[in-house]
């Protein structure tokens, strides 16, 4: 879970509205752990452009309202899990944008650990990339994302099969595969084994049935 900062909410809403107007019937899912952006600083001696992850942006934007925050306060507003937040803070502490009296790298932080904006921050570069990949849970997050996408695609494949069979009433296996591939080619390329699995699911759900005496032929059940 991640709670989007108020400063980013307007852009988020505008793009969501734009996407909905362009793609009727599609649902937009935001993958914050894979997102990034840029922040321009106005609190240091020099003006820097920080290339940051969305999580890092969520934390740093909180310092617009306060120079010092506890881990508990940051977690309450961002809704990030403790282990993820510790990694985010660790990168910000190592980059010297933030300082903490009890930890220099985000380790051994507890709920009452106080983190402050380091107003003496300096960097030779005016464009600074702080979006360093996080270690723990990165692989798990990616696996969850892929699993989510696969499940979403299975539903799209099933919907395409139902549409085709509702119109055709009866169809052989190969022509059905060809039509599914054709209908979904603009979005993604479905794998044939996945289409076959979706056909089996729809037979179990009694949307389709195999025609007796007809090899590899399906009929639509109204």
């Amino acid at each position: 879970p991640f709670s989007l900062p108020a400063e980013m909410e307007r852009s988020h809403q505008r793009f969501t509205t734009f996407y909905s107007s362009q793609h009727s019937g599609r649902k937009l899912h935001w993958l914050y752990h894979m997102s990034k952006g840029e922040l321009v600083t106005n609190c240091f001696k020099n003006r820097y452009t920080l290339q940051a992850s969305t999580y890092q942006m969520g934390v740093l934007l909180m310092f617009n309202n306060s120079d010092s925050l506890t881990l508990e306060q940051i977690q309450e507003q961002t809704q990030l899990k403790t282990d993820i937040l510790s990694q985010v803070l660790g990168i910000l502490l190592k980059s010297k944008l933030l300082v903490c009296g009890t930890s220099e790298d985000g380790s051994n932080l507890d709920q009452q650990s106080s983190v402050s904006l380091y107003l003496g921050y300096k960097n030779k570069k005016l464009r600074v990339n702080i979006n360093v990949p996080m270690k723990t849970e990165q692989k798990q997050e990616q696996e969850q994302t892929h699993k989510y996408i696969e499940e979403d695609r299975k539903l799209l494949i099933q919907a395409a099969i139902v549409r085709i069979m509702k119109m055709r009433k009866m169809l052989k296996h190969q022509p059905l595969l060809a039509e599914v591939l054709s209908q979904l080619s603009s979005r993604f390329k479905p794998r044939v084994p996945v289409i076959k699995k979706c056909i089996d699911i729809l037979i179990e759900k009694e949307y389709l049935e195999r025609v007796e005496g007809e090899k590899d032929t399906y009929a639509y059940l109204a």
Side-chain angles (χ1 to χ4, degrees):
F2 175 66
S3 178
L4 203 67
E7 292 90 339
M8 296 169 68
E9 192 64 53
R10 188 180 172 200
S11 297
H12 176 278
Q13 190 56 51
R14 283 175 67 187
F15 186 81
T16 301
T17 303
F18 163 75
Y19 187 89
S20 298
S21 69
Q22 298 293 313
H23 304 284
S24 178
R26 293 192 194 180
K27 189 176 180 182
L28 193 62
H29 296 285
W30 293 87
L31 305 176
Y32 294 121
H33 64 282
M34 298 179 74
S35 307
K36 59 183 178 180
E38 291 188 350
L39 290 177
V40 177
T41 67
N42 295 299
C43 54
F44 307 125
K45 187 176 179 181
N46 291 322
R47 187 181 173 97
Y48 299 101
T49 299
L50 305 176
Q51 297 165 299
S53 71
T54 305
Y55 289 168
Q56 290 171 336
M57 292 170 73
V59 172
L60 289 172
L61 285 165
M62 288 185 68
F63 289 92
N64 278 336
N65 303 314
S66 179
D67 288 344
S68 185
L69 295 160
T70 64
L71 187 141
E72 185 178 21
Q73 289 172 315
I74 297 170
Q75 189 167 32
E76 189 177 330
Q77 186 156 323
T78 62
Q79 294 295 302
L80 288 171
K81 289 189 283 186
T82 303
D83 52 348
I84 295 291
L85 181 56
S86 294
Q87 290 178 74
V88 172
L89 289 173
I91 294 166
L92 296 176
L93 289 165
K94 285 176 185 176
S95 65
K96 305 298 182 187
L97 284 160
L98 302 180
V99 289
C100 176
T102 59
S103 176
E104 290 187 0
D105 59 2
S107 60
N108 304 317
L109 288 173
D110 60 40
Q111 290 291 296
Q112 299 310 311
S113 295
S114 181
V115 182
S116 305
L117 189 65
Y118 180 51
L119 297 173
Y121 176 79
K122 289 180 182 178
N123 199 303
K124 291 178 183 178
K125 297 178 181 177
L126 294 179
R127 288 183 66 84
V128 185
N129 182 16
I130 59 171
N131 187 19
V132 181
M134 295 190 297
K135 293 176 185 176
T136 57
E137 286 211 3
Q138 188 182 30
K139 187 178 178 183
Q140 186 182 345
E141 290 273 15
Q142 288 174 344
E143 286 173 357
Q144 285 176 345
T145 300
H146 288 308
K147 185 179 177 182
Y148 182 86
I149 291 169
E150 286 298 316
E151 291 303 315
D152 214 33
R153 286 180 172 181
K154 281 179 187 175
L155 292 175
L156 288 171
I157 293 168
Q158 289 176 44
I161 294 168
V162 170
R163 278 197 307 272
I164 293 162
M165 292 303 298
K166 192 174 183 180
M167 185 172 64
R168 302 285 189 182
K169 304 301 180 189
M170 194 177 290
L171 205 58
K172 285 191 173 291
H173 184 73
Q174 287 304 326
L176 177 57
L177 289 182
E179 287 210 38
V180 171
L181 288 165
S182 175
Q183 277 202 16
L184 297 174
S185 62
S186 62
R187 293 192 180 188
F188 64 98
K189 187 178 179 181
R191 291 181 294 118
V192 171
V194 178
I195 299 174
K196 288 179 179 177
K197 190 172 182 180
C198 288
I199 291 170
D200 290 337
I201 290 168
L202 291 171
I203 289 170
E204 283 179 28
K205 290 181 177 179
E206 298 185 345
Y207 282 95
L208 311 177
E209 67 176 359
R210 288 187 172 87
V211 179
E212 285 187 35
E214 296 268 357
K215 190 180 178 185
D216 293 334
T217 304
Y218 307 106
Y220 177 70
L221 298 173

